[in-house]
Amino acid sequence: MKHMVKLSNGACVPALGQGTWYLGDAVATYDREVEALRAGIEAGMTLLDTAENYGDGRSERLVGEAIRPYDRSSLFLVSKVMPSNAYGTRLMQSLDRSLSHLGTDYLDLYLYHWRGERPLAEMVTAMEEARAAGKIRAWGVSNLDTADMEELWAVDGGRNCAVNQVLYHMGSRGIDYSLLPWMREHHVALMAYCPLAQVGRLGCDLLGSGVLAEIAAKYGATPVQIALAWAIRDGNTIAIPRTGRKEHAVSNAGADAFDLTAEDCAAIDGAFPPPTHKEPLHIE
Ligand code: NAP
């Protein structure tokens, strides 16, 4: 993959990875979804994002099946711990369960899924213990807004956070105002979730946008590919579209071929204006 992102722990990861929410839930589509993930891996999307609570472990098990033929070191596996499990020995228990579902003995990145009620310091301590035990290579957070990140930065060891995974697509770009600049300044990479706005389900019809269609036609691309190229345009963002279809996986990886110009981005800003003030973080 041409577009790569360097994380603060030195890892270099593809800017386009694969989401897996809802995958593994239905027996009828299981084989097709395994094939889709494998097609995505072979097309360069070797980063796979899952979570302990996706289908109560079914998504992690599906990923475990999909990655069986591949050399572990060629992959970058991400999973997430729920806040209710993100402290003390509970985190290690969750992590061991995720590792067993995935059929591996380490995660490349482990994320704190959303802000819970317990102090961030407890999560950081447990993450650092998992890192020292060699079970995770790096840790990060998800759905944390600017004030949460500032609070994390004041915690001992909190600055080891490599990634913040938050919702980001053209129709929901409130983080462009303060969170993203803060993350750039503090070398925290963005992992953009729902980069396709769930193809219209999130109330934003990206694929029906005339501007996207025009830019796509200019490059011989699809609107989905332009939406992904836009999401990763800053060189510090990883987008994780999810698909259960091989042909979509190959097409999504193909977004790597496109670099949007300043003129393209200005046209997109016209149709999907950047924020002019702090907006609350959107969470899906
Ligand atoms: P998404 O990636 O924005 O959209 C998924 C939808 O796009 C699916 O319905 C898929 O259908 C369709 N799609 C994918 N590629 C396509 C293509 N080339 N052409 C047409 N349709 C296409 O939504 P998401 O799954 O909610 O978000 C992505 C990932 O982010 C998740 O899977 C999960 O790993 C992560 N996530 C994290 C959080 C968090 O709290 N940290 C929250 C939400 C999501 P087909 O299967 O038919 O292709």
Side-chain angles (χ1 to χ4, degrees):
M1 184 154 295
K2 183 174 76 169
H3 294 93
M4 302 291 288
V5 172
K6 194 163 182 199
L7 304 184
S8 57
N9 74 334
C12 223
V13 302
L16 293 165
Q18 306 192 70
T20 65
W21 196 15
Y22 299 117
L23 299 188
D25 280 351
V27 176
T29 50
Y30 188 91
D31 291 343
R32 166 160 75 64
E33 291 167 359
V34 167
E35 260 190 48
L37 290 177
R38 288 182 181 164
I41 290 171
E42 278 159 34
M45 296 192 297
T46 51
L47 181 152
L48 291 103
D49 175 78
T50 183
E52 66 170 342
N53 66 333
Y54 290 175
D56 205 14
R58 285 191 295 275
S59 157
E60 288 180 331
R61 283 194 286 265
L62 178 91
V63 172
E65 172 60 22
I67 64 175
R68 256 190 324 119
Y70 303 99
D71 179 6
R72 173 67 184 86
S73 64
S74 67
L75 303 168
F76 192 92
L77 299 183
V78 185
S79 193
K80 311 185 197 78
V81 60
M82 291 187 290
S84 52
N85 290 330
Y87 64 97
T89 54
R90 287 184 75 94
L91 181 132
M92 211 63 100
Q93 283 163 10
S94 277
L95 177 55
D96 285 341
R97 207 163 34 238
S98 292
L99 294 175
S100 147
H101 289 161
L102 290 161
T104 184
D105 56 5
Y106 72 94
L107 290 180
D108 295 282
L109 180 67
Y110 201 28
L111 302 179
Y112 174 62
H113 206 151
W114 63 89
R115 181 81 201 256
E117 280 168 13
R118 303 181 71 98
L120 289 174
E122 291 184 2
M123 176 276 289
V124 173
T125 301
M127 287 290 194
E128 287 295 330
E129 279 169 13
R131 199 155 72 102
K135 291 184 181 188
I136 62 173
R137 297 264 163 97
W139 63 267
V141 295
S142 178
N143 297 308
L144 261 58
D145 207 344
T146 320
D148 300 308
M149 293 305 291
E150 280 166 350
E151 193 181 325
L152 180 62
W153 244 236
V155 168
D156 235 10
R159 296 174 186 219
N160 290 333
C161 169
V163 161
N164 187 13
Q165 182 180 117
V166 295
L167 188 149
Y168 188 60
H169 58 77
M170 289 170 191
S172 180
R173 52 185 300 193
I175 65 167
D176 279 337
Y177 189 79
S178 81
L179 181 59
L180 201 47
W182 187 97
M183 286 165 55
R184 286 204 189 105
E185 192 187 330
H186 295 86
H187 309 291
V188 177
L190 167 65
M191 200 174 272
Y193 78 66
C194 302
L196 304 178
Q198 295 184 349
V199 286
R201 274 186 292 277
L202 299 186
C204 170
D205 182 20
L206 291 186
L207 309 189
S209 149
V211 168
L212 241 65
E214 265 173 42
I215 298 173
K218 180 173 97 178
Y219 291 106
T222 67
V224 163
Q225 288 174 326
I226 299 304
L228 294 174
W230 179 86
I232 63 167
R233 70 199 179 287
D234 73 352
N236 198 29
T237 297
I238 303 140
I240 48 168
R242 176 241 322 170
T243 179
R245 296 174 199 282
K246 191 160 122 176
E247 61 280 13
H248 285 173
V250 172
S251 171
N252 293 349
D256 185 45
F258 306 108
D259 288 293
L260 301 184
T261 62
E263 193 190 1
D264 299 330
C265 291
I268 289 170
D269 285 351
F272 300 96
T276 53
H277 58 275
K278 172 80 185 131
E279 294 174 8
L281 189 61
H282 291 178
I283 294 181
E284 185 50 33

